[in-house]
Amino acid sequence: MKDFNFQQIEKELHRQRLENLTRRHFLRDCASGVGGLALASLFGACNPFTSKENISSISSNPLAPRVPHFAPKAKSVIYLHMAGAPSQLELFDYKPALHKLDGQDCPPSLLEGKKFAFIRGVPKMLGPQASFKQHGQSGAWVSENLPHFSSVVDEVTFLKAMQTDQFNHGPAQLLMHTGGARLGRPSMGAWATYGLGSENENLPGFVVLTSGGKDPDAGKSVWGSGFLPSVYQGVQCRSEGEPVLFIKDPDGVTRELRKSSIDAINELNKIHYQEKGDPETLSRIAQYEMAFKMQISVPEVMNINDEPANVHEMYGTKPGEACLANNILLARKLVEKGVRFVQIYDWGWDSHGTDSDLAIDVGFVNKCRTVDKAMTALILDLKQRGLLEETLVVWGGEFGRTPMAENREGKKNPFKGRDHHTEAFTIWMAGGGIKKGYTHGETDEIGYAAINGKTTPFDLQATILNQLGFDHEKLTYEFQGRPFRLTDVHGKVIHEIIA
């Protein structure tokens, strides 16, 4: 049966080659083909994959390394997203004035005209549920929930006045990673890979690692390619079991047979591309070839068992399990191998106070323990390997948490928790040409609203692209008659945080 299938592929390839040479085939497709050429000329051949300056490089390999707009500060990005939105008020944004208000009714001025996901009526104010100290020469405030991270604050820039306009997880995650709160736009990693290509022809340019037991609320769209060719979407890998599902050859299929079948299929795809000029066909060719190469390269790079014992201790890894620490170590290995963009999503940071796992003083503390040691190790490990200056590390969530306690449906929650908050949250960045030991932006005395140095997801996206060597206004893709970009019509580079 397998030989029969392979013979069928060869017959189809032969048929396609002959069909391209027949007069009947030309006459059949002439009207639509010539019409299509005329229409393309009217639209200015808007697709960059078929433009003269790009056709030679992208047609041969859409993942080939490409030169950015200007000299980059960073070669790769590791983005750690804590899905659910960690509370800045229990981590980085110390507000002693909030202690004094603990248990008091929330002032009407904080509620009038505002929308919250679950707060109803008049909630109580909730003081910080952690103690804080200043650390390092920069004097950065960090809570007791991150004892290891407090030792590396002088390598980090804090953005303490981040704001968003989305207060539900899915839309806020989409906005943070795709530049739009609705489905259908390419993710940041897809844009980076589209612009830069990949340095390692045996690995994807954009790799995604998940932990916490679930995917982000926005689903896999937060690492999708949207309207970009699908070759630029993130490839999800796993730290437990097979690194990539279905990457092994079926029983009875040799590597030589698999290579022959892929070659034959790609010959068909090349013929189809020559006929139709559809860039998605190039993606299909590249994906088949990449999958074949990944059968060898991925199991090797995804194996952390051969890392030295001191590295495992440094990160707090658990080989063989699906956990955040393993993924953070894998991120370091992947950027070492030339992967452009590593996206980590860790689920479970939604501290509403509806049960102990979502309590700000129980479950949240446990989540901090899963990330503290590993993210600290990542900074130190990259630095000791000489990779931190060329690797941009970003950490944060999709929005912040309220200084008021959540009172779901107007009733006191069984545990201490905070509702979603759009007007203030904290993200930190390190390496990749970002200032060390710096804090940008400030919130009011209770951490309710940003008062200076305000930044948005669009500003963050523009800054990340800037560090990779791109003008975010010029990294575009023509779709539906207009040029689209990651930041849409928004965003400014946060020049104050660039070293």
Side-chain angles (χ1 to χ4, degrees):
M1 180 61 72
K2 294 182 179 67
D3 291 339
F4 173 77
N5 288 338
F6 182 61
Q7 290 170 3
Q8 289 293 96
I9 293 173
E10 287 187 316
K11 288 180 180 178
E12 175 63 16
L13 174 60
H14 184 61
R15 186 190 69 78
Q16 289 265 3
R17 284 172 172 163
L18 291 176
E19 190 178 61
N20 277 345
L21 300 175
T22 63
R23 181 169 45 186
R24 184 177 301 166
H25 173 71
F26 171 78
L27 293 173
R28 186 190 71 198
D29 284 355
C30 181
S32 61
V34 173
L37 288 172
L39 186 61
S41 67
L42 289 174
F43 283 125
C46 62
N47 193 324
F49 276 79
T50 55
S51 63
K52 291 180 180 179
E53 60 267 27
N54 289 320
I55 190 66
S56 59
S57 63
I58 296 179
S59 292
S60 59
N61 180 9
L63 288 174
R66 289 187 284 282
V67 178
H69 298 145
F70 46 82
K73 298 286 185 70
K75 291 183 178 179
S76 54
V77 176
I78 298 174
Y79 197 126
L80 299 94
H81 185 97
M82 307 297 105
S87 172
Q88 75 282 6
L89 297 169
E90 274 69 41
L91 294 178
F92 310 116
D93 205 12
Y94 179 46
K95 297 299 174 182
L98 194 56
H99 272 298
K100 301 174 183 177
L101 298 175
D102 186 55
Q104 298 181 25
D105 285 349
C106 178
S109 61
L110 303 184
L111 302 173
E112 293 171 354
K114 304 295 183 180
K115 291 183 179 180
F116 299 96
F118 296 103
I119 284 176
R120 301 292 182 269
V122 181
K124 302 291 185 182
M125 302 302 290
L126 181 63
Q129 300 299 300
S131 61
F132 281 75
K133 289 182 180 179
Q134 288 181 284
H135 297 273
Q137 293 183 349
S138 60
W141 289 97
V142 179
S143 85
E144 61 185 339
N145 289 328
L146 299 176
H148 294 94
F149 182 75
S150 63
S151 67
V152 294
V153 292
D154 286 340
E155 298 290 340
V156 169
T157 276
F158 292 96
L159 298 175
K160 287 196 174 181
M162 284 291 295
Q163 295 182 315
T164 181
D165 60 5
Q166 299 296 320
F167 63 81
N168 285 321
H169 296 292
Q173 291 165 2
L174 286 168
L175 180 63
M176 183 64 71
H177 293 284
T178 74
R182 296 182 178 88
L183 298 170
R185 295 177 65 90
S187 59
M188 201 182 321
W191 279 109
T193 312
Y194 161 69
L196 289 171
S198 177
E199 286 190 329
N200 189 328
E201 64 179 14
N202 297 318
L203 288 171
F206 177 20
V207 172
V208 179
L209 303 165
T210 63
S211 56
K214 294 183 181 180
D215 286 340
D217 296 75
K220 298 183 179 183
S221 295
V222 285
W223 61 81
S225 57
F227 47 73
L228 291 178
S230 58
V231 71
Y232 299 116
Q233 69 186 355
V235 175
Q236 187 175 3
C237 295
R238 309 188 307 161
S239 57
E240 178 187 34
E242 286 188 56
V244 179
L245 292 176
F246 313 117
I247 199 169
K248 291 183 178 179
D249 289 326
D251 293 338
V253 176
T254 65
R255 187 157 176 79
E256 291 73 22
L257 179 59
R258 172 54 61 91
K259 182 66 167 68
S260 298
S261 65
I262 288 175
D263 289 344
I265 291 169
N266 279 348
E267 281 297 315
L268 291 173
N269 285 329
K270 289 174 183 176
I271 292 171
H272 186 265
Y273 178 72
Q274 289 168 0
E275 286 183 351
K276 308 296 183 183
D278 183 358
E280 195 58 35
T281 308
L282 296 178
S283 294
R284 200 153 51 233
I285 293 170
Q287 286 164 337
Y288 272 118
E289 293 175 347
M290 177 60 70
F292 182 74
K293 295 172 182 176
M294 284 169 59
Q295 288 182 308
I296 300 298
S297 60
V298 167
E300 177 186 344
V301 75
M302 296 295 290
N303 177 23
I304 64 172
N305 293 324
D306 54 0
E307 289 286 323
N310 68 303
V311 171
H312 286 292
E313 169 60 27
M314 187 180 186
Y315 282 84
T317 52
K318 300 175 182 178
E321 297 183 23
C323 71
L324 178 56
N326 288 6
N327 287 348
I328 292 176
L329 173 56
L330 285 170
R332 187 222 79 203
K333 294 189 67 177
L334 288 164
V335 298
E336 274 187 309
K337 296 292 185 179
V339 174
R340 295 289 194 188
F341 207 103
V342 181
Q343 180 71 63
I344 292 176
Y345 289 101
D346 185 56
W347 185 86
W349 291 83
D350 198 15
S351 304
H352 285 287
T354 50
D355 59 46
S356 61
D357 286 341
L358 299 181
I360 203 74
D361 55 350
V362 184
F364 178 78
V365 175
N366 293 332
K367 290 299 292 183
C368 289
R369 290 174 182 149
T370 67
V371 73
D372 178 37
K373 193 173 186 180
M375 70 182 184
T376 305
L378 177 64
I379 293 174
L380 295 173
D381 202 7
L382 289 171
K383 186 176 182 179
Q384 72 182 6
R385 294 168 187 268
L387 293 172
L388 185 58
E389 285 307 307
E390 61 185 42
T391 305
L392 179 59
V393 182
V394 185
W395 186 97
E398 59 266 30
F399 41 62
R401 313 303 298 199
T402 59
M404 305 87 78
E406 182 178 313
N407 63 336
R408 189 162 297 203
E409 303 306 323
K411 301 175 183 178
K412 182 180 179 181
N413 285 6
F415 294 87
K416 293 178 180 179
R418 301 184 186 276
D419 202 354
H420 308 168
H421 196 47
T422 63
E423 298 195 37
F425 62 106
T426 300
I427 280 178
W428 63 255
M429 306 172 74
I434 295 297
K435 283 183 180 178
K436 300 179 180 182
Y438 181 71
T439 294
H440 181 74
E442 182 185 4
T443 58
D444 60 29
E445 62 179 0
I446 61 170
Y448 183 88
I451 56 176
N452 63 60
K454 298 176 184 179
T455 50
T456 69
F458 299 112
D459 300 329
L460 179 65
Q461 294 155 6
T463 304
I464 291 173
L465 291 180
N466 182 81
Q467 298 310 94
L468 290 172
F470 290 106
D471 180 338
H472 72 103
E473 295 183 350
K474 295 180 180 178
L475 181 64
T476 62
Y477 187 85
E478 294 282 345
F479 178 66
Q480 294 183 337
R482 79 167 177 94
F484 278 82
R485 66 185 207 230
L486 171 61
T487 52
D488 197 26
V489 296
H490 312 282
K492 295 181 180 179
V493 175
I494 312 168
H495 290 287
E496 295 90 339
I497 72 170
I498 296 174

